[in-house]
Amino acid sequence: MKKKTFYSLYQKSEVTGAVKHEGFQFEKNGIKLYVYQNRVGTIFIIDPPTGLSLTSECCSVEDAPLYITEYRIEDLAERRKTEEYQIKAKMFKAFKKAAKVKEECEIMLKGIKKNEKI
């Protein structure tokens, strides 16, 4: 596993977007996946192209690969070939871009406010 900064899909009520995480990247049977742990200790295993959580478990980050079965990897590989999956991946890419633009705007605003105080 190696450290990785990445985004996942965030959806609550009617709000959807991309959220940045500090976590890890690992590979299982040639499929790259991300994992992060929330404040409560639950890990989330993320499918990078769509940002969707494949599973959430109460375990250590190091044990994450154990919770993705061979069947799950095969199923994911098949789903990645579908048009529906490709649409979800494009949608998530747009959400990530919007999140990055928002982060850049916030940095610029902080700089502007800092210069106004001088």
Side-chain angles (χ1 to χ4, degrees):
M1 266 194 228
K2 66 178 185 178
K3 284 192 171 216
K4 181 82 176 169
T5 300
F6 58 90
Y7 290 85
S8 71
L9 192 65
Y10 172 84
Q11 196 167 9
K12 191 167 186 173
S13 299
E14 295 180 17
V15 177
T16 303
V19 178
K20 192 181 217 178
H21 300 284
E22 297 293 329
F24 297 90
Q25 175 182 306
F26 69 94
E27 197 169 312
K28 181 124 182 198
N29 294 1
I31 301 276
K32 287 183 183 176
L33 301 168
Y34 299 150
V35 60
Y36 73 94
Q37 191 168 34
N38 69 8
R39 287 183 228 145
V40 196
T42 303
I43 65 156
F44 293 86
I45 299 174
I46 306 297
D47 175 33
T50 62
L52 294 172
S53 175
L54 298 176
T55 188
S56 60
E57 304 288 339
C58 291
C59 67
S60 69
V61 169
E62 293 80 17
D63 291 336
L66 302 174
Y67 289 91
I68 299 295
T69 63
E70 299 290 325
Y71 170 78
R72 193 72 185 255
I73 292 294
E74 291 169 8
D75 181 58
L76 180 59
E78 285 302 309
R79 276 191 286 138
R80 285 183 172 182
K81 297 174 187 175
T82 66
E83 184 179 352
E84 180 184 359
Y85 184 93
Q86 296 304 317
I87 291 168
K88 287 179 183 179
K90 286 179 183 177
M91 190 173 69
F92 181 58
K93 189 174 181 179
F95 282 126
K96 284 194 303 188
K97 188 171 184 169
K100 289 175 184 177
V101 167
K102 181 182 175 203
E103 289 170 11
E104 291 170 4
C105 288
E106 289 172 349
I107 290 168
M108 288 175 29
L109 284 172
K110 283 181 185 178
I112 290 170
K113 287 180 181 178
K114 185 178 179 182
N115 286 338
E116 287 176 352
K117 290 180 181 178
I118 296 176

